[in-house]
Amino acid sequence: MANQSDLMDKLTSLAKRRGFIFQSSEIYGGLGSTWDYGPLGVELKRNVKSRWWRDVVTAREDVVGMDAAILMHPRVWEASGHVEQFHDPLVDDRNTKKRYRLDHLLEAQDREVIEHLSKDLVDRPVEGNVDVHTITGIVEAIMDQADRVNLNDYGILADGKEADWTIPRQFNLMFKTFIGSSEESGVEAYLRPETPQGIFVNFLNAQATARAKLPFGIAQLGKAFRNEITTGNFLFRTREFEQMEMEFFVRPAETAEWLEYWSQARLEWYVALGIRRQKLRVRPHSQEELSHYSKATNDVEYEFPFGWGELEGIADRGTYDLDQHADYSGKKLTWFDPDTNEHIVPAVVEASAGVDRTVLTILTDAYHEEEAPKAGGEGVEQRVVLRLSPDLAPITVAVFPLVNRDGMPELARKIVDDLRGDFAASFDAGGSIGRRYRRQDEAGTPFGITVDGQTLEDQTVTIRDRDSMEQERVSIEKVKEYLRGKTG
RNA sequence: GCGGGUGUAGUUCAAUGGUAGAACACCAGCUUCCCAAGCUGGGUACGAGGGUUCGAUUCCCUUCACCCGCUCCA
């Protein structure tokens, strides 16, 4: 097994070498924390997404899908709480390397400090007690002229100690953009920081047209954007990412049991993708961790080389979102319960997963280095193999002529052409047969079909299993049946 | 954004104030009846910009990217 500390490096290198993941805009020096999916990566990612869609939407009677635009009315993000929650003015203390929220920092200062700041920046004496408005006013004034205000002039202490402050920075987690071709006349808008709001604002549309009754879910899959303060760990935290989200609407009294149900169901989904169960866990959030919208949240986590990381959050959002949107839009967002003859605001249990994180998990979990026999059967050498589930692997089956003569390449091509359409099939005649097997091992291809001398006599081929490296002889006409039996 | 580290072929690494080399990978051909074999040939790099210098991949500055922390979340 690979050394844990450099596993991510090896994975990044393999991902590039084999065409899974490339750094974005690489020829221009790269763009921070953005990654592109290559020929193999896009197939893997597509397989993940369609598997999710099948398991969460198509295969279920109680979930429907939708696909909202990335751009939404700016008021959506006021209602959702993101405008309020996603703006933090932060400063760093160079002495201790610690970071503080400016408002929290000011609240902890002595009155003289606040008075000094208020006099200089707000041009107003502090009357009575120092309250939230005073603090907010000062924060705004500081941020308005952040380049000119030196916080070190005011004796602001960090946990009671003298500090060396950086220029305060506004950390705005939402991407701003303009709708309209000129910025002056354009309406300011945001790239969505999460996908569920598109579901909440369409609650009535989707519910009514699907004629859905509680409990039921609405799912969607799509990109979201956040100006993360700190990105990193390869695909794990990026500014542009893709989410698979399902909002399950239930009677408010039933949220606890549905939270439990979805937490288990979602954990099992990752196990079904072939991820080792012992590397997965469901972890409930502590009170302090809970988001502004959630009463209870469970995270499905995977143990990465860099520690446990969240793949999916299953959250009880209560009636927060529908209440907020009803409030801000002035529209009633209720459902009529025929059992009780009441209009109720449904509560929501959300299952929100990251596509890119799932891909990263699959690659991490599948990566293995092991001993393999050398040519001629003498000695061993290292091989790198991605043990991807046959349902997820970008290439399901590769077809090779054992040697490039006697009509073997032609027959192999005929076989691979016949397989295409039913399976992701690939042809390879380059180098020795051993090299081709290894190449496919690194790509995670579960099956290798080889046309050899015997094939020309009895129309059978060998099918090699990626993990055991053992071969079975199967007649050409039974190949599809064989592969179907091994894949979903 | 702050602190620390790193940046040379596709990958992993080397060397040098006088403009770069290896291994593996890759491509073409030959060979090869089963696990990165062999032979021949081939292409590909000093992250970007500026400065010092007769001359910079090498020294300096800036910037960009990646890794490790601080913080946040899918």
Side-chain angles (χ1 to χ4, degrees), chain A residues 35 41 95 106 119 181 187 196 233 239 261 267 345 351 398-399 425 458 463 483:
Chain A
W35 304 89
N95 291 342
L106 294 181
K119 180 165 160 284
S181 51
V187 174
N233 287 325
R239 298 202 167 91
Y261 168 87
L267 172 69
V345 178
V399 184
D458 66 4
I463 302 186
L483 292 174

Side-chain angles (χ1 to χ4, degrees), chain A residues 157-203:
Chain A
L157 301 179
D159 301 318
K161 294 196 187 72
E162 203 169 303
D164 181 10
W165 298 112
T166 61
I167 293 171
R169 300 262 317 162
Q170 183 77 258
F171 283 83
N172 185 342
L173 278 323
M174 280 199 289
F175 275 86
K176 249 184 205 163
T177 188
F178 294 90
I179 298 177
S181 51
S182 89
E183 288 196 7
E184 303 82 60
S185 62
V187 174
E188 210 170 71
Y190 300 102
L191 302 185
R192 66 182 174 200
E194 60 168 28
T195 55
Q197 299 306 326
I199 292 175
F200 298 131
V201 302
N202 277 295
F203 170 71

Side-chain angles (χ1 to χ4, degrees), chain A residues 284-339:
Chain A
H285 275 205
S286 65
Q287 277 311 110
E288 301 79 61
E289 279 181 277
L290 291 174
S291 322
H292 62 279
Y293 52 73
S294 181
K295 291 178 192 146
T297 298
N298 292 327
D299 282 350
V300 177
E301 297 184 329
Y302 177 79
E303 190 177 15
F304 289 100
F306 50 82
W308 288 92
E310 178 188 354
L311 303 182
E312 175 157 356
I314 297 97
D316 171 5
R317 295 179 79 125
T319 60
Y320 175 84
D321 300 281
L322 292 180
D323 283 341
Q324 287 288 108
H325 286 300
D327 192 19
Y328 277 70
S329 68
K331 303 287 191 297
K332 242 192 217 168
L333 300 178
T334 55
W335 177 75
F336 180 72
D337 188 341
D339 294 348

Side-chain angles (χ1 to χ4, degrees), chain A residues 389-441:
Chain A
S389 152
D391 299 335
L392 297 175
I395 302 170
T396 309
V397 56
V399 184
F400 323 109
L402 184 58
V403 291
N404 286 310
R405 55 175 157 79
D406 302 338
M408 291 180 205
E410 293 76 10
L411 184 50
R413 275 197 189 278
K414 196 163 158 279
I415 292 171
V416 77
D417 285 343
D418 187 46
L419 288 171
R420 275 192 240 277
D422 292 312
F423 300 94
S426 169
F427 173 83
D428 190 356
S432 70
I433 188 69
R435 177 185 300 273
R436 287 175 249 154
Y437 285 146
R438 290 289 191 275
R439 206 157 23 212
Q440 295 300 329
D441 287 343

